[in-house]
Amino acid sequence: MAKTIQAAIAAIALSLSALCISQEAPEAGEARGDTFAERYAEAELVAQVQIAGIHRDVDSALSEPGMVALLGYVYSAVSRQVWKGEANRLIAFRLGLDACGQKLEKGARYLIFARPDSRGRLQLYSCDAVIPEAEAAPLLARLKEFDLQG
C-alpha cells in the first residue's frame, strides 16, 4: 500500500512539474518567432498536420492496478503540407508531459517541428515544437518564403 501511495505521489509530482515548466514565460529573446530558424534546422520533419487520433503513452513500470502512470500522448495525424522531411499522409508523433503539459485536440491543425527519439520515433521536445494553426500564420508565411526561394 505504501508503494502504491509513493508511486501515485511521484506520478502527480511529475505531472505538476511538467505543467509548471510548460507554463513558464519565455526569457528575453526566446519568443516563439525568434527561434524559428533553430527549430527548422533541428527538426527532421516540419509539417502542418491535423490530429486524427490521440493515444495515451503509458509507463507500465510505474502503473499499478487502479493507477495509470501517463508519460504523454501519441498522436496520429494527417499531414496537410510537409516543408522538411518525408512523411506519409498519416504520421504518428509523441509529445511527453515532461516536454509539454498541454494536450493537443483531435481535429485541430498544428504546425509541428519533430525529431526522432533514441528509438527512431518522431517526437516533439517542447511546447514550442507544436503551434496551433491560429497562432502559426507568421511561421507559415516564412515557410512559404522558403518554398519560393527553393
Side-chain angles (χ1 to χ4, degrees):
M1 173 105 171
K3 287 184 179 182
T4 302
I5 293 171
Q6 287 176 335
I9 291 171
I12 291 169
L14 179 64
S15 296
L16 288 175
S17 65
L19 181 62
C20 290
I21 290 169
S22 71
Q23 293 182 350
E24 289 178 2
E27 298 193 8
E30 289 186 355
R32 269 196 176 154
D34 294 346
T35 60
F36 173 78
E38 259 179 41
R39 283 185 280 170
Y40 188 87
E42 291 175 356
E44 184 171 300
L45 175 72
V46 178
Q48 186 176 29
V49 299
Q50 183 170 7
I51 305 299
I54 303 170
H55 315 280
R56 296 183 302 174
D57 190 7
V58 175
D59 185 336
S60 300
L62 290 178
S63 296
E64 295 190 19
M67 186 196 79
V68 175
L70 191 62
L71 293 172
Y73 296 95
V74 179
Y75 297 94
S76 54
V78 177
S79 59
R80 297 294 178 195
Q81 185 166 3
V82 176
W83 284 276
K84 182 178 180 184
E86 293 184 29
N88 295 325
R89 185 90 169 127
L90 187 62
I91 61 171
F93 60 90
R94 289 175 153 58
L95 181 56
L97 292 174
D98 61 337
C100 184
Q102 65 187 74
K103 183 178 177 183
L104 307 183
E105 295 179 29
K106 185 174 181 178
R109 290 184 182 201
Y110 298 91
L111 175 63
I112 63 168
F113 297 82
R115 294 184 285 151
D117 65 8
S118 60
R119 295 180 181 169
R121 303 172 299 188
L122 284 177
Q123 178 90 24
L124 306 184
Y125 286 95
S126 73
C127 286
D128 284 342
V130 58
I131 300 103
E133 185 177 51
E135 300 172 23
L139 297 178
L140 292 170
R142 289 181 72 180
L143 288 167
K144 288 177 185 172
E145 287 176 19
F146 278 0
D147 278 347
L148 294 175
Q149 293 172 1

